[in-house]
Amino acid sequence: MAKPSTSTTTTTLCSVCGDMATSHWHYGAKVCHSCRTFFRRTSMMVLGGNMKRALFCCLRGGNCIVDVNNRQKCNFCRFEKCKLIGMVHEIKEYVGNTEKTDKKTKESEESNFEVFLTNKNATRFVYLPKTLSHQFGAEEIGRLRFLLELFGMQKVVHPIGVPNILPFLECSVTRKPYPQSVVKTVIRIHEHWMSQFCYGLEEFQGLNPDEKKMVLKKVPLAVRLLKGLFIGPGTGKNLHCIIKRLASDKTELKAMENYMADHKFSINVPVQYEHWRSSLLNTSPEYEQIHQNLNKEIVIWAQKGTPILKNQCEGLDAVLELLGCILILFSQEHGGKFSQKIGQLYDSWRLVFWRYLDNQNLLENVKYELFNGALGMLDITKQILRIE
């Protein structure tokens, strides 16, 4: 007589159709085998140009219900829902939060770092110290790489676009304020990136609807942290550094570089905080000074971590930057709604932040300043958003 199976089955449901999800991550989300196969095949056809977009449409206005019973009725709505929950074709698949064996990536000339590209058109390198292997297991390193790839792919899926980048080039050279409409568009797109990043996190998917709203409510704060890191007063970023961050791929970056060359724009033109700030709603000089001082606190905090990377265009280590945003997203305010689960996730992310920070070649007091500073970013970004 055969022994009964002792294995347990997961209760996680597919984020697309509600069927039983596998225990693996597929293209950045927890889904069932059916939706995983559907997304892979459809992505290959759409991205490869084998499916005519005119024929790939919804006959009911794009509002079809996608569940386990009718998931095969409308491929368009099913594919759109896959993208909505954060599935990205370029993200490698993960099994048990570790990625499948892939070809060895090219190493950096600096022996202390490994360099990874999320895809062949990536504009931003992903740096992970090789010393992580001493304290971090393969699973944890894979998780950090996944976080960077997940966020990095958002600008590929939903690019800012050349029409919104050109005004930054022209206004930076002419020393004029950036158009307010463009500034608002860029902020809105960054908030979309951060929201989609949240949907791709396993920890986020395990929250109930009210808890998810609590996390998503912090998205504007995380975006303000990113804004302060790259255009805050005293960052020293030049025009080329900024367009590298805004371009969605190498083709778009090359187009911007050619535009600058044709118009004889210097790539070393510094990006002025005042040009960005003055394009937002006007406030009193007192509030302007407060806003500048708050953003300067972000810059000073970030500059403590610059010895980690020699590339000044990157500034703060990419991992610490993203983990700092995650700490804001999963933080909770005193006196507001409290979730024990979010609190536990915040503690776990805080531990990851410290363990990663402790691996860096920094003085101990600098590590503590970076750690405590990250915990204080919630209050600083709240004040910035309140002024804006």
Side-chain angles (χ1 to χ4, degrees), residues 207-208 210-212 214-215 330-333 336-346:
L207 301 176
N208 64 43
D210 287 338
E211 290 170 331
K212 288 180 180 179
M214 292 171 64
V215 173
F330 286 88
S331 60
Q332 298 187 89
E333 304 174 50
K337 291 183 179 180
F338 181 80
S339 163
Q340 184 175 0
K341 192 166 188 177
I342 293 180
Q344 292 172 346
L345 292 175
Y346 177 79

Side-chain angles (χ1 to χ4, degrees), residues 360-368:
Q360 311 307 317
N361 185 25
L362 297 170
L363 296 175
E364 287 300 311
N365 66 306
V366 174
K367 293 178 183 179
Y368 283 107

